[in-house]
Amino acid sequence: MKFFIDSANTQLIGKFLDMNIVDGVTTNPSLLAKEGANPIDQAKKILKLVPGPVSIEVVATEYDKMVNEARSISKLGKNAVVKIPMTKEGMHAVHTLSQENIKINVTLIFSATQALIAAKAGATYVSPFVGRLDDIGQNGMELVRDILLIFKNYSIKTQTLVASVRHPIHLIEAAKLGADVATVPPDVLDRMFSHPLTDSGLKKFLDDWKTLEKQYGDVFKLPI
Ligand code: G3P
């Protein structure tokens, strides 16, 4: 499963890129607004920083305007993916844009029928929002399971990008189901590294080593 980072913060993105943990980035208008910078400048910075796909969302809601915004976004970088919301006008735009080989991430997917429609229109990715479904008492991961099964049944190439991830369990479940991608907020990525037994285990190793150092000093001092 690929990991994308759900963030528009270049510092945080860079931190995880340095570890080769993330394969791409997803942004949305709310994430770009959080950065406070000119959104196009910020998007350009992210596209330059990241070798993999970077999703940037249109804000228009009418077909013509969406298509124009999407074409502008796609010109920002070779790795730009245009996020289009799951609406009728949006799917019309997806059909037009996919014929121009523009990569599309259909966002705000909350049902399997929406995912199927988006795939038929020509989406490269569909983004089911699992956390927001969980929030209203529906099972987000069941939706991912359904989409993956439907796409498999018909050999649909559209990738399932699990979004609105709230905790590491979402990621384990997504990976067990065989989702293509999960987009993960930085704080959830951080939480994926830690386990209390790792911390206590490391502390014990280092404390024990200190007793040796008292006797032998820094044994790693060159030359060994
Ligand atoms: O980028 C879309 C998505 O991941 C949003 O997540 O936490 O706002 O529901 P959230």
Side-chain angles (χ1 to χ4, degrees):
M1 185 171 70
K2 286 186 179 145
F3 285 167
F4 289 176
I5 180 168
D6 204 19
S7 172
N9 183 294
T10 46
Q11 238 179 318
L12 291 170
I13 295 168
K15 179 176 109 176
F16 292 104
L17 275 181
D18 286 347
M19 290 183 268
N20 201 29
I21 304 295
V22 296
D23 306 289
V25 173
T26 52
T27 68
N28 61 36
S30 309
L31 290 171
L32 280 163
K34 217 163 119 185
E35 296 311 308
N38 175 313
I40 295 297
D41 292 345
Q42 190 69 7
K44 281 187 191 160
K45 269 191 206 163
I46 301 168
L47 284 159
K48 229 187 215 170
L49 179 69
V50 181
V54 177
S55 291
I56 300 146
E57 191 160 338
V58 297
V59 287
T61 52
E62 295 137 37
Y63 167 79
D64 288 333
K65 286 184 186 159
M66 260 192 234
V67 168
N68 284 340
E69 286 184 9
R71 287 181 182 141
S72 305
I73 289 170
S74 76
K75 283 184 196 130
L76 294 177
K78 279 201 180 98
N79 48 343
V81 174
V82 181
K83 250 186 175 182
I84 306 259
M86 176 63 223
T87 60
K88 284 183 183 151
E89 303 236 5
M91 294 314 99
H92 185 186
V94 170
H95 178 55
T96 303
L97 296 161
S98 64
Q99 285 175 317
E100 297 171 19
N101 288 323
I102 292 174
K103 290 201 166 61
I104 314 289
N105 174 358
V106 176
T107 188
L108 293 165
I109 294 278
F110 293 98
S111 77
T113 53
Q114 290 180 324
L116 194 50
I117 284 168
K120 272 183 106 66
T124 314
Y125 304 95
V126 287
S127 288
F129 276 31
V130 294
R132 292 192 195 183
L133 277 172
D134 292 353
D135 288 346
I136 60 156
Q138 292 181 18
N139 190 330
M141 277 302 153
E142 281 307 314
L143 172 59
V144 173
R145 187 193 303 277
D146 287 348
I147 295 171
L148 289 168
L149 176 64
I150 292 166
F151 285 5
K152 189 170 166 238
N153 284 348
Y154 297 100
S155 304
I156 290 169
K157 297 275 173 280
T158 302
Q159 296 183 49
T160 303
L161 192 167
V162 177
S164 185
V165 162
R166 298 280 160 77
H167 46 70
I169 303 292
H170 273 149
L171 290 167
I172 304 292
E173 291 302 320
K176 286 201 306 202
L177 291 172
D180 302 282
V181 190
T183 188
V184 193
D187 66 304
V188 178
L189 276 173
D190 272 331
R191 276 183 273 157
M192 289 168 69
F193 284 78
S194 33
H195 193 285
L197 288 179
T198 306
D199 299 341
S200 58
L202 181 60
K203 186 178 178 319
K204 172 89 175 93
F205 287 155
L206 296 181
D207 287 349
D208 289 345
W209 190 259
K210 265 184 205 144
T211 63
L212 277 176
E213 266 180 349
K214 270 185 202 144
Q215 210 175 336
Y216 299 102
D218 182 358
V219 292
F220 285 113
K221 242 196 310 191
L222 290 176
I224 289 180

